[in-house]
Amino acid sequence: MARNSCQFTCHVVVILFLLVFGEVDGVTITVPNPTVSAEAGTDAVLMVSFTSGTNPYVSWELDLSIASWTINSDQPADIAQAYKGRLTINTKAPSLTLNKVTTADARDYKVTMRATGESSDEKFIKLNVYERITSVNVTVSPADPVEGKDVTMTCQITGTGTKYSWKVNETPVILDSRHVASGNTLTIKSLVRTDKGQYSCTAENPINSLRNSVDLIVYYGPDDPVIKVDNANAGTQHNALVGSTVQLDCVSESLPVSYNWKYNSVSTAGGSKTLSNIQRNQEGDYICEVSNAKTTLVKSKTITIKVYDMIQGLSVSTIPVNPKEGDAQVEITYATDKGSGTAMWLKDGTALPNDPRYTVTANSLKINSPGRSDSGVYTCNLNNPFSTSTIQKTISIFYGPEKPQISATSVENPDPLKYVLVGTTVLLKCKAECDPPATYYWNVGNQDDPNVPEGATLNLTNIQANQAGSYTCIAVNDKINKRVRNVVPLNVYQKPVSAGPTCSMTPVNSDLQFRCSWLGGIPKVSLKFLGLSEVKEASETLDQTETAAKLPALNGKAITCVGTHPIAPNNCSITPRSPEGILPSHNATAQPSGKVSVTISCKGSSQPPATVTWSKAGQLLTSGGIYTISNDTTDLTITGFNISGGDLATYTCVSTNLLGSQKSSINLTGPAISKSSILVNPAHTVVTLTWETPRDSVVTGFDVQMTGPALQRSSISRAATDWSTIQTKGPEARNTDISPLQPGEIYQFRVKPMVGQNEGPPSETYSLGQDPGLSAGAIAGIVIGSVFGFLLLLLLLILLILCCLRRKKQRKEPKYPVPKTKERVATGVSQPNILLTGGVTAARNGPSIGNGNRAYTPEPYTQYDKSSTLPSNVTPPAVRMATTV
């Protein structure tokens, strides 16, 4: 009670101290070794230390308190009843000593320390108690380990073991998926024979260690046995010559191992077997059996012993003797007098075709469904390990004939099997695959020909139409009595008479009949019209009529006749067309008597040809009297045409066919010249007159007239100013040359149209040389030119005077007269009709060629009409031009 009061007083003092001076640090326990190991029967010290501001209270516990005390207290420790006599406690320190520990003392011990006014602390110490290892023994399970199975080795000890380690042949075992250690065991999975060896186990604890070992034997096999023949590895077969010795040895990897040989159900123990003076009746399969009593496995290996004689007397035969195409099979068989072997067959020196029809048996070659390609030289190579023999045999497979192939050749015909022309030559050839070669016979196209030609070729010369038809070639194989035929058609054609069809149209009342004709030819030409309302066909001649109601739709439409012939197809076309392009024209002719005939033509294009009706000034004309209408009605001829008797009038033609009509007129007028011109050569020796007439003008000829010197000397005298006809031209003439002319002479030229002896107005008059008179225009031009010339001369005179006066001041020299050139200019003004080179002047009613008051040089054959003016860039010899009034 006094003790508790003292403790209470101390607590109060501590609390007051804390209130005055603040908080004090708590108790701290330090454990130098949290785990303590001890050998059973010895003392175990659980060592701790502490820090504290006072003497703390110490308590050691397991499940319950086993001892407690206060540091530096005079009071003894409070020890639980179960541990009295087993503990050694120094109350001045917190450590605890357990005396003579046993494995039952191996526990986790808790130490708690607290002091008044301080926070408490607690720690744990683990006590391990070990018994000393005194013996180690290693066991193997199963006792007879077998390759491929698992084995477990166990390390059994006396004492306490905490760690086990394993070695094999003094080398640490490497743990992996096959080597698994667990506690005191080591398991090796899927044993292999190389796992054998000395395995040692070391058992350890903190007190001591101890090791022991065991030899691991792995039983394995047997592996696949190996057979040796005469101490050499052998395959599955060994070949031996009759009379030789064969040594057989069987070897297999196995632990343990047992050998046994079997031949024809007879067993012989042991790994070796000797066959002396071997004979053919000793060949066969020899079996080596290997067994293992531990693994209970049995393996075997078989070797086939073949015993051979040397090959002698090889021969070959065939069944049937003479095979043919279509037989079910041909068999080539070999035989020997002695010895056997393996046959290798060749055909024509090469390996047999990869063909399922070929079957090789032990002593023959069989060919199923033999054909012609199987013919050839067959070689049998018979081989055994000790000898070789070869033999050949030629085999022919008779076949055919196949269907004959017929070809045709001809120099004149490019494709004779398509057609040949009458009169040409054709060579037919027949060929069929056949062995032996076939015999050929022909059936010809002409059924009236009783002959049966024989041979592979048939020559047809100068072939005619009756030889057209089917030609049959028959191929015969006499060896197998087989006949085969083939037929080709031979077409014999002839070209039509003309190169192509002829198309025409003919009116039939108000309808229009179309005709297409193409005669001759073998076969006959087939014709049809395209473009008509119906398509009809006919041979050689086709007539097809279109009614009047259908004709408008055909106007301007091309209608084609298609001619079909195997040699030369061709077409023709015709286009129905109403009259068009009608433009009347006329032609006038005059008889020597002066009687004139005029023909008016009214032509154009039309199909079928149109019929023309004529009228004059609205009055219908018919043939009779002075009027004649041509048979085709396109020409109207007026005989005794009189230009002053009313024949100059308007004539109308109407052109009509079934598809329509066209009307046109011409107004005939009297003879006239509508346009004329002249050309002059540079030498002024030739002029060319050209002229034109109106389209409707009636002209039967032209008189070319001239005035001036005669072109040639003549006994007939005439005045140079009289018009004379120097040329007479026909109605078609439109130009003429006049020569020779005399340069410098004065000429006039004109053309006068004629109708019989009636003349029309002449053309404009063209003058060459001096103009016999001046026109009013020319006179006016001269006057104006003179005035301007005088003014120009006066201006030049003033300038000359001024120039002379100025020069006189500079030096005294005589005054120069007026230059002669200026005198000429002045003279030219007073006399305007100066001579000009080559001048040609037209009359007042015509164009002038040249100019009356200036010179020019004409270019070679330059043409001048009414409005032209001759050039004047160079001054040639003067020629006077005049215009006749």
Side-chain angles (χ1 to χ4, degrees), residues 584-588 598-601 666 668 694-699:
S585 62
H586 72 280
N587 180 41
V598 175
T599 299
I600 305 172
S601 296
I666 184 171
L668 296 183
R695 187 182 74 87
D696 298 340
S697 177
V698 178
V699 178

Side-chain angles (χ1 to χ4, degrees), residues 700-716:
T700 61
F702 300 93
D703 287 349
V704 180
Q705 297 182 333
M706 180 191 79
T707 66
L711 298 179
Q712 297 178 353
R713 292 182 180 181
S714 174
S715 58
I716 302 173

